[in-house]
Amino acid sequence: MSGFPKDFLWGAATSAYQIEGSPLADGAGPSNWHRFCHAATAGPLLHENGDVACDHYHRYREDIALMKDLGLQAYRFSLSWSRILPEGRGRVNPAGLDHYSRLVDALLEAGIQPLATLYHWDLPAALDDQGGWLHRDCAGWFADYAHRVCGRLGDRVTGWATLNEPWVVAHEGHLQGTHAPGHACPGEVPIVSHNLLRAHGMALQAGRAAGARNLGLVVNLEPKYPVSDRPEDLAATRRADAYMNRQYLDPVFLGRYPAELAEIFGADWPEFPEDDFKVIGEPMDFLGINYYSRSLTRHDPAAAFGQWSSERHPTNPRTDMDWEVFPQALTDLLVDVQARYGEIPILITENGAAYTDPPSVVGEPQDRLRVEYLRSHLLALREAMDRGVDVRGYFAWSLLDNFEWAFGYAKRFGLVHVDFATLKRTPKASARYYSDVIRSGGATLAP
Ligand code: FCB
């Protein structure tokens, strides 16, 4: 164990709707998430939304000073599409683009590389009205947006992710109905996924044409392990993996969907035009991987979808999300991705844990569990690199405690504590720990 490569990039990640607040400021249009939260009739979203969040929209300079103090070398953030194009297409709101231009300049002044995500789940509500990702043309609307943003910021942003986690958009938004737009229609999933993938490919082309460099896709991978070696559990595990993981990576790298998807969706599985796969397969400069946990899969004929059920290990530790802490899966998935899809520079674009921090009477919250989560996952990452996987950087999720989607403000992922009554930021012990890891180039990680 000899630390990390000298040019390894250390950062932290956030997303627009989760931290910015002021979603309608300065001429912005509403997003589907704004509308979803305000229409909520049940759950945490009845009371909570991104109206204020961390007020990063106004406090970004303070937050950049904090990042600089922690020694972060890169910051992954997302842009709100409806700040820039209030109706999603057509008219540009210059104040929206100006805001992100100032953010990027302030990061560069602080010596922090800006990595921008073009779509982290907040779709302009006006496009949602036209069907959103169900509409085939949404891919082109996204590419137009990408072209405008990359034309303005492409000279300064050092890396671009087209989409964040298309699986979550399709699964939570269209099968579970727990995310915007709140549909629960399994047949929508393959259509939405396919249009997201087309949008990704078209945005790569449009972004490059506008002068952007270093573009990729961010997926969330949750490795699936069978609960037993019974053939039906092994087959269920392959289906679960095809649905959550390979549904996005196979078309991008191999030019086709995994065969299991037709089996899972049955009559809902569409015929896709062959030419679409050329667009989807547009070469990328890097792959972004978000990793949090794994799951165990059991064949379950009674399951509402796909004939499998997902389980967590009964005794291993879990975070406040009820996600098992299992760093080994990070090593496994990285080795598997490289074996299946070949060499491509990889960034870990999110990894982190929700824990309720112990009350801080004096000084910083002592979030011992988050420190341990970070440490064990960085060691697992290092192990994959030792086994030949080309990982170029790591982004902790998240810089700040923030609006955790359907869970509202209850789940805290931040390295920095946010008091949502006063908006005061207080770095936790994990922030100091991460800062030391960065300053030592990973040398302080030794087990
Ligand atoms: C990921 C999302 C991110 C955050 C973390 C906990 O799926 O990309 O916005 O919600 O999970």
Side-chain angles (χ1 to χ4, degrees), residues 18 120-121 164-165 168 290 292 323 350 397 404-405 413:
Q18 294 181 274
H120 199 126
W121 307 352
N164 180 71
E165 303 188 351
V168 174
N290 297 348
Y292 289 93
W323 295 346
E350 290 180 25
W397 183 272
E404 180 46 40
W405 309 111
F413 276 91

Side-chain angles (χ1 to χ4, degrees), residues 107-427:
L107 285 164
L108 292 171
E109 270 162 39
I112 298 168
Q113 289 191 33
L115 260 89
T117 301
L118 287 165
Y119 183 71
H120 199 126
W121 307 352
D122 45 347
L123 186 76
L127 298 185
D128 200 27
D129 291 338
Q130 293 160 70
W133 293 112
L134 287 163
H135 197 307
R136 193 169 158 87
D137 291 350
C138 202
W141 303 334
F142 180 65
D144 288 345
Y145 154 66
H147 190 268
R148 291 180 198 242
V149 173
C150 292
R152 176 75 186 274
L153 306 178
D155 56 336
R156 287 161 290 155
V157 166
T158 54
W160 296 88
T162 53
L163 310 174
N164 180 71
E165 303 188 351
W167 178 80
V168 174
V169 178
H171 177 78
E172 302 290 349
H174 293 266
L175 189 137
Q176 300 285 6
T178 48
H179 281 192
H183 301 180
C185 309
E188 292 184 4
V189 169
I191 299 167
V192 164
S193 294
H194 190 72
N195 286 335
L196 282 163
L197 286 168
R198 290 176 49 245
H200 154 74
M202 289 169 74
L204 289 179
Q205 293 168 349
R208 284 180 179 137
R213 58 199 189 285
N214 196 25
L215 295 94
L217 171 70
V218 170
V219 292
N220 56 309
L221 298 182
E222 186 181 272
K224 307 294 180 188
Y225 296 74
V227 289
S228 81
D229 54 11
R230 289 186 316 155
E232 54 271 42
D233 288 332
L234 297 179
T237 304
R238 280 194 296 275
R239 290 197 301 279
D241 179 52
Y243 175 63
M244 187 161 178
N245 303 320
R246 286 182 280 121
Q247 178 167 194
Y248 303 92
L249 294 183
D250 279 13
V252 163
F253 289 109
L254 308 178
R256 56 177 150 78
Y257 284 106
E260 292 89 347
L261 293 182
E263 189 190 334
I264 295 168
F265 287 101
D268 284 335
W269 183 248
E271 284 273 340
F272 295 112
E274 205 41 51
D275 279 355
D276 288 356
F277 292 92
K278 290 202 196 92
V279 176
I280 291 172
E282 178 75 19
M284 303 194 290
D285 302 302
F286 70 91
L287 174 66
I289 294 177
N290 297 348
Y291 173 74
Y292 289 93
S293 187
R294 66 146 176 187
S295 73
L296 304 175
T297 309
R298 182 186 299 282
H299 177 65
D300 179 1
F305 176 78
Q307 299 211 325
W308 74 81
S309 48
S310 296
E311 299 177 7
R312 299 289 174 198
H313 188 279
T315 54
N316 281 352
R318 300 183 193 181
T319 69
D320 279 3
M321 299 296 280
D322 209 27
W323 295 346
E324 180 188 346
V325 179
F326 194 72
Q328 170 72 46
L330 177 58
T331 313
D332 293 351
L333 85 84
L334 287 168
V335 169
D336 288 353
V337 161
Q338 181 150 309
R340 184 170 175 84
Y341 302 112
E343 285 217 15
I344 178 161
I346 288 175
L347 293 174
I348 302 302
T349 34
E350 290 180 25
N351 174 240
Y355 289 116
T356 311
D357 305 312
S360 104
V361 191
V362 268
E364 60 192 25
Q366 294 301 309
D367 56 338
R368 196 178 50 77
L369 293 171
R370 186 172 292 98
V371 168
E372 182 47 30
Y373 184 97
L374 280 174
R375 194 185 75 91
S376 58
H377 285 76
L378 286 169
L379 287 170
L381 171 61
R382 191 69 187 84
E383 167 73 20
M385 293 167 72
D386 285 343
R387 286 164 63 182
V389 184
D390 183 10
V391 185
R392 305 283 178 94
Y394 175 90
F395 292 77
W397 183 272
S398 178
L399 177 69
L400 303 169
D401 288 338
N402 60 43
F403 176 73
E404 180 46 40
W405 309 111
F407 295 92
Y409 292 94
K411 307 292 180 198
R412 291 179 176 269
F413 276 91
L415 300 173
V416 175
H417 179 271
V418 177
D419 177 332
F420 291 107
T422 62
L423 298 175
K424 183 173 182 310
R425 279 84 160 129
T426 309

